[in-house]
Amino acid sequence: MEKMKMSCKVSFHEGKKFSRKHNARDYENWNRDGHINSELTDRNIILVDKNLREFFEEEFEEVITEYNQKNQRKHPDRVTTVSKYYEENKKMARECIVQLGDGESYQKMIAAVGAEQANQTYEKFFRDVYEHWQKDNPNLKLFGAYIHFDETTPHLHLDYLPVGEYKRGMTKKVSRDGALSKYKRGDKYGENKWTQWACDERKQLEMIAGNYAEEIIPHEKFDGKRIETYQWRQQAVEYYLNNLEQPPEPVKPEKKIFESKTDFEKRKQEYKQQQEVTRLWKAGEKIVVGRQDEQEETRRQRQQIQSGINEIQQAKQKIGQAKESLERQRQTFRQQQQQHVSKYQKAMENVQNEQKKLDDERKQIQQQIQQQSQQMAEQMYQERIKKEEKLSAIVQKRKENLAELNKGRQKHMPTLEQQQQDRNRNQNQRQQRQHIER
């Protein structure tokens, strides 16, 4: 590819924080400051666009699962989740911005080869940078890469997460030092792994840019605060507006009124300076007009805000009235509730008193029943004793009668021994008789 006839620098710096919504133009009112040309937004290119939360799951889910399995039994307090790890380390995500040249060099390139050819050149350069990053920085894992053509100068946003590899604990962790483990801390003050990597990376980008531009101006250390091109141009115009009066219209010099060529050249230089002042003044007038429009817009917005505030105040008043009404209702409800509670307490006291009366009556009845039962038992016991005495008297009388009857029998009947002796004697006589008969 033929190099462009231009002399420029490669801008490479780390942003304070990444914004996916800004990079992808994925929110309302994304051009509120007016520095973005919305007609060119469709020309922007998205190389990578991943949600950071999903990117954490993709990178660390397997690693965290393996880590939890090792620590589940001995160290349960070390067990974590992807969500917890994401919340702890999401602020480590960073953004780098790469730019070739500035707005002036970009306009010169457009004037030389046309906007289409210039944009194609920038696109190829940024794609080469993207491929170089993927190859040479595997531990600075990209989850977002966006090429912007709708601002002052085309540039590339690289959103990444530094990830280091380890042998102990989790095999992969979010770490800037771990991601740049091949670098060592420098001896110079302020030199660390990150500054060393940034210096080497800038040199690599300058080598890539050398394929597209004839001359790449080496990077120089810049200690001041970085501002955008449109900002310092606006500051220059404001300086002239604040320090100069309305400049007169420049008078074109005529050669015939000058005695020498030196005077003519001097007058010509003054005329150019007057032209520049006039141009800056007109530009300042445009800015002033724009500011007046902005002030008018601001005033209109303030009126809208004031009307909104009034509506809010009215709503607050209505809410206050509603609160007062609600408070009155609450007080009425509390009074009714207290009345009901007092009635309930009185009813409960009456019930308790009735219950006590019933308990006392029940005790009295039980005592009466117990006394009656004792009396009945005593009467029955006395009657039973009398019956037993009568029975014992009857039994005793019968025993006496039996004894008298036995005495009378013994007088008139032989005893059993006599009866047995008689039977034996009779048997012996019978046996002797039978023997004699034989």
Side-chain angles (χ1 to χ4, degrees):
M1 180 179 178
E2 185 178 356
K3 295 182 180 181
M4 306 301 293
K5 294 181 180 181
M6 59 184 294
S7 177
C8 59
K9 290 184 179 181
V10 175
S11 174
F12 172 70
H13 70 277
E14 185 181 45
K16 293 181 180 180
K17 61 180 181 179
F18 79 95
S19 173
R20 181 195 166 277
K21 290 184 177 180
H22 167 78
N23 294 341
R25 305 290 190 256
D26 188 16
Y27 63 100
E28 295 181 359
N29 198 20
W30 49 265
N31 192 21
R32 60 185 176 183
D33 57 358
H35 78 282
I36 298 174
N37 187 353
S38 58
E39 295 179 356
L40 300 177
T41 301
D42 293 338
R43 184 72 178 82
N44 293 347
I45 299 173
I46 297 177
L47 301 175
V48 180
D49 183 27
K50 294 182 180 179
N51 180 272
L52 184 58
R53 176 69 174 79
E54 296 175 355
F55 183 73
F56 262 82
E57 289 184 356
E58 180 182 331
E59 286 292 326
F60 297 103
E61 185 173 11
E62 184 177 350
V63 175
I64 290 176
T65 302
E66 181 181 355
Y67 176 76
N68 290 341
Q69 289 176 354
K70 292 180 180 179
N71 294 277
Q72 186 78 38
R73 193 172 54 139
K74 293 185 177 180
H75 305 286
D77 56 312
R78 298 180 184 177
V79 174
T80 185
T81 61
V82 177
S83 299
K84 184 178 178 181
Y85 195 70
Y86 165 75
E87 293 296 333
E88 292 173 350
N89 296 278
K90 64 181 179 181
K91 292 184 179 179
M92 291 293 292
R94 291 290 186 273
E95 178 182 69
C96 280
I97 302 172
V98 181
Q99 181 174 303
L100 180 61
D102 57 8
E104 186 177 351
S105 59
Y106 177 56
Q107 294 300 327
K108 288 181 179 179
M109 184 183 292
I110 291 176
V113 298
E116 188 66 26
Q117 182 64 31
N119 290 337
Q120 289 180 2
T121 302
Y122 271 93
E123 180 182 345
K124 290 179 182 178
F125 167 68
F126 291 138
R127 287 186 181 275
D128 287 350
V129 171
Y130 169 73
E131 292 175 0
H132 151 73
W133 185 290
Q134 294 280 68
K135 180 180 178 182
D136 291 2
N137 301 307
N139 290 335
L140 303 179
K141 299 186 179 296
L142 290 175
F143 62 89
Y146 313 87
I147 301 174
H148 287 171
F149 286 100
D150 56 356
E151 297 183 51
T152 307
T153 310
H155 54 274
L156 171 66
H157 291 266
L158 296 171
D159 300 340
Y160 64 93
L161 186 72
V163 178
E165 297 181 357
Y166 298 87
K167 294 181 180 179
R168 298 180 61 184
M170 287 177 58
T171 55
K172 285 199 302 185
K173 298 179 185 177
V174 178
S175 171
R176 293 184 66 163
D177 288 344
L180 303 175
S181 57
K182 67 179 182 179
Y183 290 94
K184 297 181 179 180
R185 292 189 177 275
D187 297 330
K188 297 180 181 180
Y189 176 77
E191 188 178 44
N192 53 35
K193 292 182 179 182
W194 202 255
T195 55
Q196 293 179 53
W197 169 81
C199 183
D200 292 346
E201 187 68 17
R202 187 175 285 106
K203 290 178 181 178
Q204 293 291 329
L205 297 179
E206 289 175 351
M207 291 177 62
I208 295 172
N211 299 326
Y212 297 93
E214 287 185 348
E215 182 183 3
I216 300 298
I217 302 173
H219 170 73
E220 297 177 359
K221 189 174 181 181
F222 176 67
D223 296 328
K225 185 178 180 182
R226 180 182 178 276
I227 60 174
E228 299 290 344
T229 305
Y230 74 94
Q231 291 175 326
W232 65 258
R233 285 181 178 172
Q234 183 176 347
Q235 290 177 4
V237 172
E238 289 177 352
Y239 173 79
Y240 279 104
L241 289 174
N242 294 329
N243 294 278
L244 294 177
E245 298 179 356
Q246 174 69 40
E249 289 293 329
V251 180
K252 189 173 182 180
E254 296 181 1
K255 191 174 182 180
K256 62 181 180 180
I257 65 174
F258 297 100
E259 296 179 356
S260 65
K261 187 176 180 180
T262 305
D263 293 339
F264 173 77
E265 292 296 333
K266 183 178 179 181
R267 182 69 184 88
K268 186 177 180 180
Q269 189 67 25
E270 291 176 355
Y271 174 74
K272 288 183 178 179
Q273 290 178 358
Q274 291 177 357
Q275 278 186 325
E276 181 66 16
V277 171
T278 304
R279 184 183 66 79
L280 291 173
W281 179 265
K282 290 180 179 179
E285 282 184 337
K286 291 181 180 179
I287 292 175
V288 170
V289 172
R291 285 187 175 178
Q292 290 176 351
D293 294 339
E294 289 178 358
Q295 290 175 356
E296 182 65 23
E297 180 66 19
T298 303
R299 186 182 62 77
R300 186 179 61 79
Q301 290 178 357
R302 284 179 179 174
Q303 289 177 352
Q304 292 179 353
I305 292 170
Q306 187 62 39
S307 63
I309 291 172
N310 294 333
E311 291 178 357
I312 291 171
Q313 290 177 350
Q314 292 175 0
K316 284 183 177 179
Q317 292 177 356
K318 291 181 179 179
I319 292 170
Q321 293 174 358
K323 284 184 177 179
E324 292 177 356
S325 176
L326 181 61
E327 188 63 28
R328 288 195 296 270
Q329 292 177 1
R330 283 180 178 173
Q331 291 178 356
T332 305
F333 174 75
R334 286 172 184 170
Q335 292 174 357
Q336 293 176 354
Q337 188 178 18
Q338 290 176 356
Q339 293 175 358
H340 289 310
V341 168
S342 61
K343 289 180 180 179
Y344 174 76
Q345 289 176 349
K346 289 180 180 178
M348 288 298 296
E349 289 177 357
N350 295 331
V351 170
Q352 290 176 357
N353 294 330
E354 293 294 332
Q355 188 69 30
K356 285 182 180 179
K357 289 180 180 179
L358 290 174
D359 292 339
D360 295 339
E361 291 178 357
R362 189 182 296 111
K363 287 180 181 178
Q364 292 176 0
I365 292 170
Q366 288 177 353
Q367 290 176 358
Q368 292 175 359
I369 292 171
Q370 191 173 4
Q371 291 175 358
Q372 291 177 359
S373 61
Q374 288 178 356
Q375 292 175 359
M376 291 175 66
E378 185 68 24
Q379 291 176 359
M380 290 173 67
Y381 179 71
Q382 294 296 332
E383 291 177 356
R384 185 175 178 181
I385 290 173
K386 290 179 181 179
K387 287 181 180 179
E388 287 179 354
E389 289 178 353
K390 288 180 180 180
L391 287 173
S392 61
I394 294 169
V395 169
Q396 185 66 27
K397 190 174 182 180
R398 286 184 179 180
K399 285 181 179 180
E400 291 176 355
N401 293 332
L402 286 173
E404 291 177 358
L405 184 62
N406 288 331
K407 286 180 182 179
R409 275 181 189 171
Q410 288 178 358
K411 289 180 180 179
H412 299 285
M413 293 180 65
T415 62
L416 293 174
E417 292 179 356
Q418 290 176 356
Q419 292 177 2
Q420 186 68 28
Q421 289 176 2
D422 291 339
R423 279 197 296 272
N424 292 335
R425 189 171 50 253
N426 293 329
Q427 188 176 3
N428 290 331
Q429 289 175 2
R430 193 168 41 255
Q431 289 177 356
Q432 287 176 3
R433 193 183 296 116
Q434 288 176 0
H435 183 71
I436 292 169
E437 288 178 357
R438 288 178 186 172

